C-alpha cells in the first residue's frame, strides 16, 4: 500500500496501492515488465470486514501491443 486516508465520518478509506504487471511468453518463458501503475480504491469500513466499493486503475507506463485486452 502506498497511502491510506481514513474518513471516520463516512466510515470509508481511500487506499492507493502500486502495481507491477509482468508478462511471460509462452514460447521460452521469458518474463518482461508489462505495465506499472496504481490502484485507487474506496473501501467501506462498516461491518465485520472491509468491503471494496470502487477501484480505479491508472497506468503510469505500459507496453500494450495490438490485441492486448488484459483486465488489471
Amino acid at each position: 500500500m502506498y497511502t491510506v486516508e481514513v474518513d471516520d465520518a463516512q466510515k470509508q478509506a481511500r487506499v492507493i496501492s502500486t502495481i507491477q504487471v509482468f508478462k511471460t511468453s509462452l514460447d521460452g518463458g521469458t518474463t518482461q515488465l508489462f505495465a506499472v501503475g496504481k490502484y485507487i480504491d474506496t473501501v467501506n469500513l462498516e461491518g465485520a470486514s472491509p468491503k471494496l466499493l470502487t477501484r480505479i486503475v491508472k497506468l503510469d507506463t505500459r507496453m500494450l501491443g495490438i490485441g492486448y485486452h488484459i483486465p488489471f
Side-chain angles (χ1 to χ4, degrees):
M1 281 186 274
Y2 199 60
T3 62
V4 178
E5 298 171 2
V6 177
D7 183 340
D8 290 323
Q10 296 281 333
K11 297 189 179 179
Q12 293 180 356
R14 181 173 184 255
V15 181
I16 300 176
S17 305
T18 56
I19 60 169
Q20 295 178 342
V21 181
F22 293 88
K23 179 178 90 172
T24 301
S25 67
L26 297 176
D27 57 343
T30 58
T31 300
Q32 59 186 359
L33 183 63
F34 188 71
V36 174
K38 293 178 185 72
Y39 287 141
I40 303 170
D41 298 330
T42 302
V43 180
N44 183 351
L45 301 175
E46 292 181 297
S49 61
K51 304 283 188 226
L52 182 64
L53 296 176
T54 63
R55 170 165 281 171
I56 298 170
V57 179
K58 290 197 173 186
L59 296 180
D60 297 324
T61 63
R62 66 218 177 269
M63 295 300 297
L64 303 175
I66 295 173
Y68 285 105
H69 305 286
I70 300 171
F72 295 110

